[in-house]
Amino acid sequence: MAHTSGRNPVVLVHGIWNTASIFSILKAHLEDQGWSVYALSMTPNNGDARLETLAEQVGQFVDKCVGPQQPIDLVGFSMGGLVSRYYVQRLGGLGRVQRLVTVSAPHRGTALGLFSDRPGVRQMRPGSAFLKSLNRDLHQLEMLRFVSLWTPFDLLILPPWSSQLKVGQGRRLSVPSHNRMICDPQGLREIARSLHS
């Protein structure tokens, strides 16, 4: 698909319990500014699937909908930030993803992961084998433009600063809640800014 202004197509990756529809405001915002935007709905979206399985769905979606060679930018929201990182760090996404923007992603886990035994949720527990493995290879993210956006008012990522990593750029926003990060004017502005640079 042709895209305007020489920008990469953007693929949006949602979080747990969400579908592609959670991105309706963000998608419209980015399209208004000239991006080609794609959003997939991963299944199952309730934590029953391991994050590796969801990352494979991202890879298949990108190859089918954007094409196997086209460079892309990824925006991963919440759990989708970890799924996006797995695609980049383990499934060959590093060769084609030029910008990775994570929004309220539990890079170092969330205490809420302790309250569920679903396999995908357990992987989001602080100190999980999944997170330790990904975070051992953080240097890979230095090969692309990586931005992590987070808010101290997040009640789903506990503690909220576990959204920060030691690589790339971290930006703290004063958005009042987790889900508002992808529809609040400040969140929309920062996501677009991260994709511009």
Side-chain angles (χ1 to χ4, degrees):
M1 182 185 217
H3 45 95
T4 55
S5 64
R7 295 178 185 170
N8 292 340
V10 176
V11 177
L12 308 177
V13 184
H14 65 74
I16 195 166
W17 308 113
N18 305 148
T19 64
S21 63
I22 197 170
F23 290 122
S24 56
I25 292 171
L26 174 60
K27 188 172 187 289
H29 179 76
L30 294 176
E31 286 173 343
D32 284 348
Q33 296 188 46
W35 275 281
S36 295
V37 185
Y38 301 82
L40 74 154
S41 292
M42 300 177 291
T43 56
N45 67 351
N46 63 354
D48 280 348
R50 292 176 61 82
L51 303 187
E52 297 93 334
T53 303
L54 300 180
E56 287 168 6
Q57 293 179 29
V58 172
Q60 291 159 6
F61 177 85
V62 166
D63 286 348
K64 179 180 168 196
C65 295
V66 187
Q69 307 298 326
Q70 170 67 46
I72 60 166
D73 295 338
L74 276 181
V75 177
F77 172 57
S78 195
M79 175 188 77
L82 297 179
V83 171
S84 298
R85 279 185 59 201
Y86 192 88
Y87 168 67
V88 167
Q89 292 178 240
R90 297 283 187 273
L91 299 180
L94 200 57
R96 60 185 305 185
V97 176
Q98 295 184 339
R99 292 172 193 82
L100 170 60
V101 182
T102 62
V103 183
S104 292
H107 292 302
R108 292 184 285 155
T110 173
L112 290 185
L114 300 169
F115 299 101
S116 170
D117 263 338
R118 295 176 189 261
V121 180
R122 283 167 53 186
Q123 290 179 299
M124 292 187 276
R125 291 176 178 176
S128 73
F130 177 86
L131 290 176
K132 281 181 176 170
S133 172
L134 270 192
N135 290 339
R136 266 196 299 271
D137 294 340
L138 273 185
H139 64 275
Q140 293 187 47
L141 298 178
E142 294 171 352
M143 298 166 68
L144 45 74
R145 171 128 179 106
F146 173 65
V147 179
S148 174
L149 305 177
W150 67 286
T151 173
F153 306 111
D154 203 318
L155 297 179
L156 292 181
I157 308 302
L158 298 172
W161 51 88
S162 74
S163 289
Q164 297 181 91
L165 285 173
K166 291 181 175 138
V167 298
Q169 273 197 328
R171 292 195 198 133
R172 169 180 164 161
L173 311 184
S174 52
V175 172
S177 69
H178 184 76
N179 279 9
R180 290 277 295 277
M181 287 286 283
I182 53 171
C183 58
D184 181 275
Q186 187 186 169
L188 296 175
R189 187 170 60 246
E190 287 299 323
I191 292 168
R193 179 182 157 205
S194 301
L195 292 168
H196 260 303
S197 42

